[in-house]
Amino acid sequence: MAQQNIYDNDKFFEAFKGLRADEINFNDLIETPILLGMMPDLKDKRVLDVGCGMGQHAKQYSDMGALSVLGTDISEKMLGFARENNSADNIEYMRLPFEDLEKLDGQFDVVTSSLAFDYAEDFCDVLKKINALLVPGGKLVFSTSHPISTAYDGVYDRYTRTEEGKRLYANLHNYNIEGLRKFRWCVDDYEVYHRRFSTLVNNIVSAGFIIEECQESNLPAEVIEKYPDKFGGLYHHPDFIFFRCGKHPA
Ligand SMILES: C[S@@+](CC[C@H](N)C(=O)[O-])C[C@H]1O[C@@H](n2cnc3c(N)ncnc32)[C@H](O)[C@@H]1O
């Protein structure tokens, strides 16, 4: 299975770190509140954060009372930042691509992942490995880029615009063709996997989960109007999609 580790590329890592450190960033303003709002009670739970990146979420789960948090990621640079900036006695960080999750020992009550599955070539296979790591009735809560947002090829503008440049419509490029998409984001050839909405749902169900909740990213109109250049696209399409899934009880 193809794997990419763009976060260990110096230029990409520095650019991503800058975006994440920006006071007004998509993660803290849009993604995290929705993800945390969908979490079950983490008190005394064993939590696995897949694609944990710089560890911001792992630290939040620890602060929310988790018994233990294991953060796994493919990128040494991201894990290095996490160990330095988001550590706690009950957090462990480990270099492990999600394609190899079957190598983990132990069971988890909650598995979570934020914006990492965009890089999974075989999403269903990763979900099956996560399902095997969960206790019966355990939960998987994750976010990923919205299929409308990954139906993009970087050649055309994401939007049809007025002559003044105002966004009129979001453009969908070959929504029905799934697979690798390349466009410019921090680097020229940024790569993600585009999947249709039905594929996300069917992969989740095939991997043995019940879908309990689905959310699409949005912001209050007053926030969008305050930062029209940054968030104006949210009127046209959601950037992220979120699922809370339950493993079937034994
Ligand atoms: C957009 S970042 C999100 C990081 C973190 N979850 C957050 O929300 O801040 C995506 C993360 O997925 C990780 N990733 C990409 N491919 C991976 C793979 N095959 N296995 C594990 N992690 C991977 C990247 O290294 C990166 O840390």
Side-chain angles (χ1 to χ4, degrees), residues 4 7 16 20 27 51-53 56-57 73-75 78 96-99 114-116 119:
Q4 58 157 302
Y7 289 79
F16 182 79
R20 205 65 169 87
N27 300 74
C52 64
Q56 291 95 337
H57 286 309
D73 202 282
I74 197 172
S75 161
M78 296 294 265
L96 184 74
F98 46 58
E99 291 84 357
S114 59
L115 303 176
Y119 310 103

Side-chain angles (χ1 to χ4, degrees), residues 22-222:
D22 189 344
E23 211 179 310
I24 314 294
N25 70 70
F26 272 59
N27 300 74
D28 295 337
L29 209 61
I30 304 177
E31 196 261 353
T32 303
I34 299 175
L35 190 82
L36 296 189
M38 294 170 74
M39 281 294 160
D41 183 3
L42 295 185
K43 184 106 187 64
D44 296 328
K45 298 288 194 302
R46 294 158 296 174
V47 177
L48 168 64
D49 185 8
V50 175
C52 64
M54 296 170 164
Q56 291 95 337
H57 286 309
K59 184 67 169 60
Q60 281 157 341
Y61 305 144
S62 167
D63 292 344
M64 286 160 75
L67 179 67
S68 61
V69 184
L70 173 61
T72 57
D73 202 282
I74 197 172
S75 161
E76 288 291 4
K77 280 187 187 291
M78 296 294 265
L79 290 167
F81 184 100
R83 288 188 185 105
E84 238 174 72
N85 297 282
N86 286 307
S87 60
D89 288 346
N90 64 344
I91 302 178
E92 184 189 347
Y93 292 110
M94 183 190 290
R95 184 175 185 277
L96 184 74
F98 46 58
E99 291 84 357
D100 296 341
L101 279 173
E102 75 280 4
K103 292 182 182 159
L104 277 184
D105 286 331
Q107 293 257 282
F108 298 89
D109 303 297
V110 178
V111 178
T112 177
S113 180
S114 59
L115 303 176
F117 294 149
D118 295 20
Y119 310 103
E121 184 180 18
D122 190 339
F123 179 49
C124 193
D125 188 62
V126 175
L127 290 177
K128 282 179 183 161
K129 289 175 183 179
I130 289 173
N131 190 276
L133 288 168
L134 278 167
V135 296
K139 306 291 180 200
L140 165 65
V141 183
F142 72 91
S143 63
T144 192
S145 287
H146 197 287
I148 290 178
S149 133
T150 53
Y152 177 59
D153 70 349
V155 173
Y156 303 100
D157 193 342
R158 262 194 197 273
Y159 301 94
T160 302
R161 296 176 189 264
T162 62
E163 281 182 8
E164 297 76 39
K166 192 167 171 282
R167 295 176 180 100
L168 269 181
Y169 313 110
N171 297 323
L172 280 186
H173 183 80
N174 287 339
Y175 177 84
N176 276 332
I177 301 179
E178 300 191 301
L180 199 62
R181 296 290 179 109
K182 292 187 189 188
F183 49 87
R184 181 165 172 74
W185 189 63
C186 298
V187 289
D188 281 342
D189 278 335
Y190 177 69
E191 297 182 349
V192 294
Y193 287 94
H194 167 64
R195 284 174 265 272
R196 299 193 301 161
F197 177 76
S198 55
T199 300
L200 291 180
V201 169
N202 291 329
N203 281 179
I204 293 168
V205 172
S206 302
F209 288 104
I210 301 159
I211 295 175
E212 296 179 345
E213 187 179 353
C214 176
Q215 296 280 345
E216 295 168 291
S217 54
N218 202 355
L219 273 178
E222 55 273 20

